[in-house]
Amino acid sequence: MDAQGHGSATVVGGGVGELVVMWGGFPLLGAGLGAALTAVSGWLAELPWVPFQGWFALLAGLPDGQAYAGGTGVAALAGLLVAYVGTRERLTVTVGRTGVRLHRDGHGHDVDRAGVGAVFLDDKALVLLDADGAELAREKSDLARDRLRAAFTGHGWPWVEQDPHRQAYRRWVAGLPGLPPGGDALLRARQRALDAGRGGEVRELRAELARLGVVVRDEGRRQYWRPAEVALHPEQDTDER
């Protein structure tokens, strides 16, 4: 049985409750906020630093019934849009004896059990490493640690409580030596993408760095890096020699 099959695989996802909160709560919250902003739309339309002044001026000029219908309707639609994006961004983890599938936004990433040396949560990111320390997957989510731990350990995966290579990371500072050729340029580009909030570009540049043998982790907008090839249990290698 593997994660791509059905049988006894364990699925860890947000569940129905999370969907109810997103699709019910966000539109209601948006409608409430829209009503509150409509009530003060005339005042907001006179403040030069407030965005969407034209919209607030339009609401202020409408009869109350039309103004509240428009203000709450648009805000509720914005809540539905947030719910839609949140639903697509949910991570579902399907763990089996011989493989795991990480599924998000219509795309699945399959990882074979045979190539995995460690599984752990790094802050809110689920990380899978190979036996040499290179990253096989890193996916952010709000899935509970206990549920993920139970799913992986229940199928015999090597779950660890923290990143076994955390001490190997170095803060990236432009121009410092140690990186392979091209690594510093990629980290510069990735820093610009991080600062600008371009998540897709950040992920693409992480993959490019991985091809150079560089693993990256972020703390806020600060980048830390280490070489990919790091033995998981260096103390064992020393004892054997």
Side-chain angles (χ1 to χ4, degrees):
M1 163 60 213
D2 61 22
Q4 290 72 51
H6 297 284
S8 60
T10 302
V11 179
V12 183
V16 176
E18 185 178 275
L19 290 174
V20 170
V21 169
M22 286 195 293
W23 287 97
F26 288 166
L28 286 174
L29 182 62
L33 179 61
L37 291 176
T38 300
V40 295
S41 58
W43 173 64
L44 293 174
E46 296 176 355
L47 299 177
W49 50 268
V50 172
F52 309 114
Q53 279 189 304
W55 171 249
F56 289 121
L58 174 62
L59 289 177
L62 291 174
D64 284 350
Q66 295 179 20
Y68 279 98
T72 58
V74 169
L77 286 174
L80 287 172
L81 178 61
V82 171
Y84 172 75
V85 173
T87 299
R88 290 185 64 89
E89 287 297 311
R90 292 200 318 163
L91 177 68
T92 300
V93 181
T94 306
V95 188
R97 238 345 128 170
T98 60
V100 61
R101 166 162 286 194
L102 309 174
H103 189 270
R104 187 200 304 273
D105 196 15
H107 301 286
H109 179 193
D110 297 325
V111 181
D112 290 335
R113 166 67 183 86
V116 175
V119 185
F120 60 94
L121 276 181
D122 182 16
D123 193 11
K124 291 190 174 183
L126 176 64
V127 181
L128 283 76
L129 303 180
D130 68 16
D132 294 321
E135 279 190 359
L136 300 172
R138 175 181 284 266
E139 294 285 350
K140 287 188 177 180
S141 80
D142 291 319
L143 297 175
R145 176 185 294 270
D146 290 347
R147 294 179 64 202
L148 287 169
R149 182 196 298 114
F152 280 101
T153 58
H155 289 282
W157 290 67
W159 179 273
V160 295
E161 290 304 317
Q162 60 183 355
D163 186 347
H165 305 307
R166 192 174 184 88
Q167 299 305 315
Y169 283 92
R170 299 168 55 188
R171 172 77 183 272
W172 173 72
V173 177
L176 284 183
L179 285 161
D184 191 67
L186 287 173
L187 283 166
R188 288 174 188 265
R190 192 171 183 275
Q191 186 66 59
R192 291 193 293 270
L194 274 173
D195 292 339
R198 298 191 296 268
E201 187 176 347
V202 168
R203 289 189 293 272
E204 290 175 4
L205 289 166
R206 176 189 293 279
E208 290 296 323
L209 285 158
R211 293 186 183 98
L212 294 181
V214 176
V215 178
V216 186
R217 67 184 302 274
D218 303 320
E219 292 185 9
R221 294 184 178 178
R222 298 188 299 273
Q223 298 185 101
Y224 293 79
W225 72 274
R226 66 168 174 82
E229 300 298 316
V230 181
L232 276 175
H233 304 292
E235 72 281 0
Q236 294 179 1
D237 295 338
T238 302
D239 292 341
E240 290 173 1
R241 286 195 297 270

